Amino acid sequence: MSKGKSIHALIILMFTQFISGGVTNTKGIVLDQVEGDLGLDMGEFGLVVFIFQLGFTLASVVIGYYTDKKGLRTMTIIGSIIMGLGFIGTGAAPNIMFFLGFYMIVGFGLGALGVASNAIVPAAYPNKQRQMFNYAMGVYGLGMVLFPQILNFLFQFASWRVFYIGIAVSLVLVIIYITSVAFPSGRAEKVDLKAFIPMLRDAQFVFLMVFLMLQVSAEVSFTNFFPSYLKSLDLGGISTSEKESMSAMILSLFSVFFMIGRFAVAYLSNWINERIILITFSAGSLIMVGVSFLFADSFPYLFAGAGLFFSTLFPTATAFGTQLSKTSGSALGLIYIASGIGGGIAGYIVGLASEVFGQAGGFSVVLIFLILMLIASLFLNSKKSSQEGYAAAS
């Protein structure tokens, strides 16, 4: 591939990862504002998270199939259009029903861009895949860190609607760029539905799916519901605007620890196997969040430390899963489905719990997810897998 195509592919990859990280880490901040603007109650708040995750999961499966058929440029453009329309509709939504509908489109578009951008790496950098995925991961984390602060600044003179419409405008520029430059002709790895059968018969892969459902449940619940939870605390009687600023800062610090954790474990994984990492960081997540609850009123910044322990759970579990199967594309398909189900159901459960038990009670459901996740991690042992994929990988 020519150097020009590789550079263009790299620009698109980094931009989409930056946007994806930023949007993912600011859903809770935006929804906290929507709660007051559109009269969103906590039950509907949970439904919004469910809708977003449903759209994301559908895209992970559907767009992967069509990227293989139609090519990388076409599907990157389509993903950008879908996401842009979703953001325009969401930003202009006059009521909660319109917001819900367009938010699902945002989730679908984000999932579509994720699939397409991940296919860029093997197409443009076949001999530097690990290096480029690490760069992409770093830029994703940078988006997670910066976007809460951008929102915090924006809310001083504009609303969440301006934020979402601004992202839509930036996606128009992406589409123009993609259509005007040389671009790699990549394909996404196929998802073979028949390969699901042996994976679902393997107890280890089933344990992994349960683990991922609980892990994504905990992470989605934390990042989406933390701003509302923090606003419900007294915190020495500080104002609502000060709580909003504190929430954005804590989520940014959470993201800094998240980045540090991923890079550190990427290095440590050369000596420590996935099972030990998953058990250790699952236990660390539970302890960190539990201790943070105890000191929430006096030192809420402790919650940011959870980012260090959440950081590696999903990528490490994904690596564990792809090793279990001979067809990594199909394994990723099941992993995305399990993750989407976990994130969607969790949002709905925490939303309903918040309606019944208050925002603090609803947010504490995160601890239940973390306890169950730690238990699930104890059952993971790739050497007990019934599939041939692990034996080949070993």
Side-chain angles (χ1 to χ4, degrees), residues 16 21 46 49 86 96 132 136 150 195 209 227 231 239 264 268 289 306 370 382:
T16 55
V49 177
I96 191 59
M132 299 314 296
I150 292 171
M209 290 181 69
K231 280 176 67 174
S239 67
L268 292 174
V289 174
L370 291 173
S382 53

Side-chain angles (χ1 to χ4, degrees), residues 17 52-65 110-119 133 188-189 191 196 199 205 208-209 212-213 216 314-315 317-319 321-322 328-344:
Q17 290 297 306
F52 180 92
Q53 292 295 135
L54 179 61
F56 189 92
T57 305
L58 288 172
S60 298
V61 177
V62 174
I63 299 300
Y65 173 81
L110 192 63
L113 271 184
V115 172
S117 64
N118 283 335
F133 273 124
E189 190 167 357
V191 174
F196 285 179
M199 284 187 282
F205 206 93
L208 176 69
M209 290 181 69
L212 281 166
M213 288 175 66
V216 175
F314 186 84
T318 299
T322 54
S328 60
S330 299
L332 286 172
L334 266 183
I335 285 169
Y336 286 136
I337 290 170
S339 304
I341 292 171

Side-chain angles (χ1 to χ4, degrees), residues 61-367:
V61 177
V62 174
I63 299 300
Y65 173 81
Y66 281 104
T67 300
D68 180 68
K69 297 290 184 182
K70 302 296 183 181
L72 189 54
R73 184 200 295 265
T74 299
M75 295 316 296
T76 304
I77 292 172
I78 289 175
S80 299
I81 291 172
I82 293 171
M83 192 173 174
L85 290 174
F87 275 124
I88 290 173
T90 304
N95 55 51
I96 191 59
M97 291 308 297
F98 275 93
F99 186 90
L100 283 171
F102 281 108
Y103 213 62
M104 176 184 252
I105 296 174
V106 170
F108 191 94
L110 192 63
L113 271 184
V115 172
S117 64
N118 283 335
I120 286 175
V121 173
Y125 299 93
N127 300 318
K128 296 182 178 180
Q129 291 191 44
R130 176 177 291 185
Q131 180 183 0
M132 299 314 296
F133 273 124
N134 277 331
Y135 284 147
M137 181 178 66
V139 174
Y140 183 93
L142 186 63
M144 290 180 66
V145 172
L146 293 181
F147 267 53
Q149 297 308 312
I150 292 171
L151 262 181
N152 191 34
F153 172 73
L154 181 67
F155 286 160
Q156 297 178 30
F157 56 86
S159 74
W160 58 272
R161 296 179 184 274
V162 174
F163 174 66
Y164 275 177
I165 292 174
I167 294 175
V169 171
S170 71
L171 288 168
V172 172
L173 300 177
V174 170
I175 294 168
I176 294 171
Y177 183 80
I178 295 172
T179 55
S180 61
V181 299
F183 210 68
S185 55
R187 294 286 189 272
E189 190 167 357
K190 287 185 178 180
V191 174
D192 181 3
L193 297 180
K194 292 180 180 178
F196 285 179
I197 297 173
M199 284 187 282
L200 292 174
R201 288 176 176 170
D202 180 8
Q204 282 300 307
F205 206 93
V206 173
F207 287 140
L208 176 69
M209 290 181 69
V210 172
F211 175 87
L212 281 166
M213 288 175 66
L214 292 165
Q215 188 276 319
V216 175
S217 294
E219 189 172 321
V220 165
S221 300
F222 185 97
T223 55
N224 283 282
F225 289 89
F226 178 74
S228 294
Y229 163 70
L230 192 71
K231 280 176 67 174
S232 72
L233 301 177
D234 182 69
L235 301 179
I238 65 175
S239 67
T240 299
S241 62
E242 288 174 312
K243 289 178 182 178
E244 290 172 352
S245 297
M246 181 184 291
S247 175
M249 179 58 70
I250 291 172
L251 284 176
S252 288
L253 290 172
F254 173 94
S255 303
V256 170
F257 283 114
F258 197 89
M259 290 174 63
I260 292 171
R262 282 201 167 177
F263 284 122
V265 174
Y267 177 75
L268 292 174
S269 61
N270 293 317
W271 297 279
I272 305 174
N273 67 40
E274 286 96 346
R275 183 173 189 268
I276 299 299
I277 292 172
L278 292 174
I279 292 173
T280 303
F281 279 74
S282 294
S285 299
L286 175 59
I287 294 169
M288 190 72 233
V289 174
V291 171
S292 298
F293 267 110
L294 295 177
F295 296 95
D297 276 309
S298 57
F299 193 64
Y301 284 94
L302 269 179
F303 279 106
L308 181 67
F309 297 99
F310 279 130
S311 64
T312 190
L313 293 173
F314 186 84
T316 302
T318 299
F320 182 96
T322 54
Q323 286 184 13
L324 293 180
S325 174
K326 292 184 292 184
T327 53
S328 60
S330 299
L332 286 172
L334 266 183
I335 285 169
Y336 286 136
I337 290 170
S339 304
I341 292 171
I345 292 176
Y348 193 62
I349 290 173
V350 175
L352 289 179
S354 299
E355 277 291 294
V356 177
F357 303 108
Q359 289 164 324
F363 188 65
S364 65
V365 174
V366 173
L367 285 173

